[in-house]
Amino acid sequence: MTPLIRAENLAVEYGETRVLAGVDLALEPGEIVTIVGPNGSGKSTLVRALIGLETPAEGRVIRAPGLRIGYVPQKLHIDASLPITVRRFLSLPRRVSDAEAAEALAHTGVPGLETRQLARLSGGQFQRVLLARALLMRPQILILDEATQGLDQPGTAAFYRLIEDLRTETGCAVLMVSHDLHVVMSASDRVICLNGHVCCEGTPKVVSEAPEYRALFGLGTGGAFALYRHEHDHEHEGGAACTHDPAHEHHHHDHA
């Protein structure tokens, strides 16, 4: 199967600081992949490089021809004094019909918000409107960068269940960046643990038990790690490819 998008030996620098180095990643059609890592680990930088907003210092990003990406950013600040309705926002930058807008809002669990002012939405409503706008791109890949910041835990869990349902319904692949370890990993087929480089990679269960992952998040070496917030109806298989490099210790940068 040809990946929709892949990074090969990717490195990104800000001035003299190397934020990412030697990152290899591939996203296959239909899979949900989550990137986890501490603050400053390069997660948002990696997403920006994948969608073409950062120029690699080394390596390359290869996208399938004509690839359609739906992007839900980490934060979008709307000036409270700016009069813009949900309906108008959904037609930026590409005009969509009323029927398309209504369908997207219904799909993401916020039907009937068309006439509401963006600045008056709750955090959860706003994130779902951002998701609806991304879906209007008819994406082959949905990319979400810390899309649940500011939501409480039930709201976060509900948002990730929605993402799983959308993957099932539309067949799009999903790449998520998150710090919501327990919840988001349970919604993933594969997890990539990042700290300037790929520390380890594999199924949620395998990564959660990897020494590199546990050390990075201060989880210790013993005891079970409660991953699953809701039941899956399928089994995960496969192992982790751990690529920890002792010479590249866990430095924190401020640019992620």
Side-chain angles (χ1 to χ4, degrees):
M1 194 178 289
T2 304
L4 295 172
I5 195 166
R6 71 180 190 271
E8 295 180 349
N9 194 36
L10 186 70
V12 178
E13 295 175 349
Y14 293 133
E16 299 293 309
T17 304
R18 178 157 287 207
V19 181
L20 293 173
V23 173
D24 293 314
L25 173 151
L27 188 65
E28 307 287 348
E31 69 172 341
I32 296 181
V33 174
T34 297
I35 301 169
V36 299
N39 289 337
S41 59
K43 303 187 298 293
S44 291
T45 299
L46 176 54
V47 164
R48 289 173 59 81
L50 291 175
I51 63 180
L53 296 177
E54 297 285 354
T55 302
E58 291 176 12
R60 60 180 182 157
V61 174
I62 302 158
R63 302 174 195 88
L67 182 66
R68 298 185 307 279
I69 296 175
Y71 176 51
V72 180
Q74 185 177 103
K75 227 26 172 182
L76 187 63
H77 295 287
I78 300 294
D79 188 331
S81 66
L82 179 69
I84 181 169
T85 63
V86 168
R87 175 68 186 89
R88 176 120 193 274
F89 178 70
L90 291 178
S91 275
L92 300 174
R94 184 180 70 85
R95 184 176 293 277
V96 298
S97 69
D98 289 345
E100 286 177 305
E103 181 187 8
L105 291 173
H107 224 142
T108 56
V110 283
L113 288 187
E114 285 92 336
T115 60
R116 291 279 295 277
Q117 291 291 323
L118 268 190
R120 302 223 174 154
L121 299 180
S122 71
Q125 288 172 328
F126 188 59
Q127 287 309 110
R128 286 167 183 256
V129 168
L130 284 176
L131 181 59
R133 182 168 170 263
L135 288 177
L136 285 165
M137 301 295 294
R138 301 284 185 259
Q140 294 160 277
I141 300 178
L142 195 54
I143 296 181
L144 303 104
D145 186 2
E146 300 274 19
T148 60
Q149 271 195 341
L151 301 188
D152 61 15
Q153 214 230 326
T156 295
F159 189 84
Y160 290 132
R161 280 196 296 274
L162 171 61
I163 295 301
E164 286 185 282
D165 291 343
L166 289 173
R167 186 271 299 263
T168 301
E169 292 167 19
T170 68
C172 70
V174 180
L175 181 66
M176 295 190 283
V177 169
S178 184
H179 63 277
D180 303 307
L181 301 180
H182 298 64
V183 182
V184 74
M185 284 175 68
S186 72
S188 306
D189 299 316
R190 186 157 53 95
V191 177
I192 295 170
C193 186
L194 191 72
N195 196 33
H197 64 291
V198 176
C199 300
C200 56
E201 176 178 356
T203 63
K205 184 175 188 301
V206 170
V207 167
S208 70
E209 294 170 355
E212 294 84 356
Y213 171 85
R214 301 185 72 89
L216 204 56
F217 291 102
L219 296 171
T221 56
F225 178 45
L227 259 184
Y228 294 93
R229 297 288 181 178
H230 56 280
E231 294 300 316
H232 283 285
D233 58 3
H234 60 277
E235 295 290 325
H236 289 302
E237 296 179 358
C242 290
T243 55
H244 176 61
D245 176 5
H248 187 137
E249 285 304 321
H250 305 311
H251 298 300
H252 286 203
H253 303 295
D254 295 323
H255 301 285

